[in-house]
Amino acid sequence: MSDSETEGTQISTEPVDNAWAMKIPTFKPEDNPHGMVEESSFATLFPKYRERYLKEVWPLVEQCVAEHHLKAELDLMEGSMVVKTSRKTWDPYIIIKARDMIKLMARSVPFEQAKRVLQDDIGCDIIKIGNLVHKKEKFVKRRQRLIGPNGATLKSIELLTDCYVLVQGNTVSALGPYKGLQQVRDIVLETMNNVHPIYNIKALMIKRELMKDPNLAHEDWSRFLPKFKNKNISKRKQPMVKKPKKEYTPFPPAQPESKVDQQLASGEYFLNQEQKQAKRHQERSAKQAEAAKRQDERRNKDFVPPTEEASSSRKQEADSSKVDVKVLKAKLLKANKKVRS
C-alpha cells in the first residue's frame, strides 16, 4: 500500500468477529514499482480431448494474461500449457492465479469461466473424490447424486453458493468467492460420505432466510437447521434361530468329568466283570422294551376310534322334543269346553 493510504488507515490487531465481512484493500502498481526480480513459470498437462478446444481459444488466453503482463505458451506436442511472468509484471500473486486458470482449463472448465479466477475476490478449488469411496458402483451412484436429475442438484448448489461447479471424472472443480468454495467443498465431501446433498442445500436455504432477520443475528441457528440421522442398516441375512449369548464370567468353565469319575460317582467302578455285564444287559433289555412299546403304540394308532362330541344342534333338537304333559292336558281341556259350548 502507498504511504498516504497507510497513514489514513489504522491497522487493528483485535480479534475479528466476521472475517468474511472484512474488505481486502486492492493491490495497485504503485505498491510494487520495481516489479519482479526473477521470472516465475508454471506448466500444466492437459488430456488429448482438450487439444482442439484449447487451440481455438488460445489467442483469447494470451490476450487475457497479457493484460496482467504475463506470457502464455501452448505446446501441442508435449500436451502442456505454460504461464510465465515478465519484467513488467507488478502483481506477485497473479502468476498463482494464472496457474489456477490453466489447471481449470485442463479439467474441462470453459475459458469464459476460468478467466474469472484472475479477479482478486474469486478463487478456485479442485476437490479430489476418486479415493473417498472404495467400490466403483458406490462411487458412480454418489457422484450422480451430486449432479442430480438433469443437473438440478448441481444447479441449486451453484445458485446458493454463487460458484461455478463442474463434476469431471475423479475431481470436482469449483470457481467462485472463497466463502462459497468452502460450502461447496463441505457439500461434496459429505455427499461422498453418503449424506444426501439435499440436507446441505436445505440448510443453506434456511441460513439465507435467517440472515435477512436482524433479530436472529446473535442467536444460535442450530434449532432451525435440519438434523441428519445416519441409518446404517445391515443387509446381511439374519439367522432364523438366534442363540442367546451366555452371561460373561471371568472364571473359566468347569472341567468335564472323565469316564472314571462318572463310574466312581455311580458305583460302577467297584463292580466286577460279571456284574458289569449283567447291568449292561439289564439296561439294554429295558431300552428294547421301551422301544417295542412305542412301536406298538404307533401301529395301533390308526385303529383307535376318535372320540365324537355331540353337536350343539342335536342337543337343541333333543331339548325341543321333550313334551310338557301338564301344559298339554290344560290345552285339551280348554278345547273340549269350547266344543261342548
Side-chain angles (χ1 to χ4, degrees):
M1 296 176 66
S2 62
D3 296 337
S4 60
E5 289 182 356
T6 309
E7 291 172 1
T9 307
Q10 294 180 356
I11 299 172
S12 176
T13 57
E14 296 180 359
V16 180
D17 294 332
N18 187 9
W20 300 112
M22 290 180 63
K23 187 176 181 182
I24 300 171
T26 56
F27 191 79
K28 299 178 181 178
E30 294 82 21
D31 299 326
N32 186 16
H34 303 292
M36 309 295 290
V37 178
E38 294 288 337
E39 183 188 85
S40 302
S41 64
F42 288 100
T44 303
L45 298 174
F46 58 87
K48 185 73 175 174
Y49 62 86
R50 292 290 290 170
E51 182 178 326
R52 184 178 176 183
Y53 175 78
L54 292 173
K55 193 176 179 181
E56 291 176 358
V57 300
W58 198 250
L60 298 173
V61 175
E62 290 179 336
Q63 184 181 350
C64 181
V65 297
E67 295 175 2
H68 301 277
H69 307 288
L70 296 174
K71 297 177 184 177
E73 296 178 1
L74 178 66
D75 191 347
L76 297 176
M77 297 294 293
E78 190 180 345
S80 65
M81 294 180 283
V82 183
V83 286
K84 298 178 181 178
T85 58
S86 64
R87 294 292 298 173
K88 293 182 179 180
T89 307
W90 51 268
D91 190 352
Y93 195 71
I94 195 64
I95 185 66
I96 305 295
K97 293 271 191 179
R99 179 203 63 184
D100 293 340
M101 184 184 73
I102 60 174
K103 271 188 180 180
L104 291 171
M105 291 174 66
R107 297 304 310 163
S108 300
V109 177
F111 170 69
E112 289 76 13
Q113 292 289 343
K115 69 178 182 180
R116 289 173 53 210
V117 80
L118 297 175
Q119 302 172 18
D120 288 340
D121 56 341
I122 301 295
C124 75
D125 192 6
I126 298 175
I127 308 161
K128 294 181 180 179
I129 58 174
N131 56 354
L132 297 178
V133 182
H134 297 294
K135 292 186 179 179
K136 189 177 180 181
E137 294 81 7
K138 282 187 178 180
F139 170 74
V140 172
K141 283 183 180 178
R142 292 178 188 179
R143 186 180 63 180
Q144 185 60 35
R145 192 183 295 170
L146 184 65
I147 298 169
N150 299 324
T153 307
L154 201 66
K155 189 67 178 176
S156 60
I157 293 171
E158 289 180 351
L159 291 172
L160 289 169
T161 59
D162 297 327
C163 293
Y164 174 81
V165 185
L166 178 70
V167 180
Q168 173 75 15
N170 293 332
T171 58
V172 178
S173 303
L175 173 73
Y178 292 100
K179 188 175 182 180
L181 292 176
Q182 189 178 4
Q183 294 170 347
V184 170
R185 176 171 276 273
D186 292 341
I187 293 171
V188 170
L189 294 180
E190 288 192 2
T191 303
M192 301 312 291
N193 288 328
N194 203 21
V195 177
H196 203 281
I198 195 66
Y199 290 99
N200 291 299
I201 290 170
K202 191 175 180 182
L204 288 175
M205 292 172 68
I206 293 169
K207 284 179 182 178
R208 178 171 282 191
E209 292 298 320
L210 292 172
M211 285 170 66
K212 297 176 182 178
D213 191 353
N215 298 325
L216 298 172
H218 302 287
E219 292 188 17
D220 186 16
W221 293 352
S222 59
R223 66 180 188 271
F224 301 108
L225 302 177
K227 295 178 182 178
F228 173 71
K229 293 181 180 180
N230 188 11
K231 296 180 180 179
N232 190 7
I233 301 170
S234 177
K235 294 183 180 179
R236 185 178 68 88
K237 290 185 179 179
Q238 300 294 331
M240 291 289 291
V241 180
K242 290 185 178 180
K243 293 181 180 179
K245 289 186 177 180
K246 296 180 181 178
E247 188 178 354
Y248 172 75
T249 56
F251 307 104
Q255 190 175 2
E257 291 184 351
S258 64
K259 194 174 182 180
V260 177
D261 293 337
Q262 292 174 357
Q263 288 177 353
L264 285 169
S266 63
E268 187 181 351
Y269 183 79
F270 304 102
L271 300 176
N272 57 25
Q273 195 69 22
E274 292 179 358
Q275 289 173 333
K276 287 180 181 179
Q277 287 181 358
K279 188 177 180 181
R280 287 197 207 100
H281 180 69
Q282 187 179 358
E283 289 175 355
R284 195 182 302 118
S285 60
K287 284 182 180 179
Q288 288 176 355
E290 190 178 351
K293 186 179 179 182
R294 286 199 303 267
Q295 187 75 2
D296 291 340
E297 288 178 357
R298 188 177 63 80
R299 286 176 179 172
N300 296 330
K301 189 177 180 181
D302 296 335
F303 301 101
V304 176
T307 55
E308 295 183 1
E309 294 181 1
S311 62
S312 58
S313 59
R314 289 183 179 180
K315 286 183 180 179
Q316 289 175 0
E317 288 176 3
D319 294 341
S320 61
S321 62
K322 290 180 181 180
V323 179
D324 194 351
V325 179
K326 291 181 181 180
V327 175
L328 185 61
K329 281 183 179 181
K331 284 183 178 180
L332 290 173
L333 288 172
K334 194 174 181 181
N336 290 333
K337 285 180 181 180
K338 285 182 180 181
V339 170
R340 287 175 185 175
S341 60

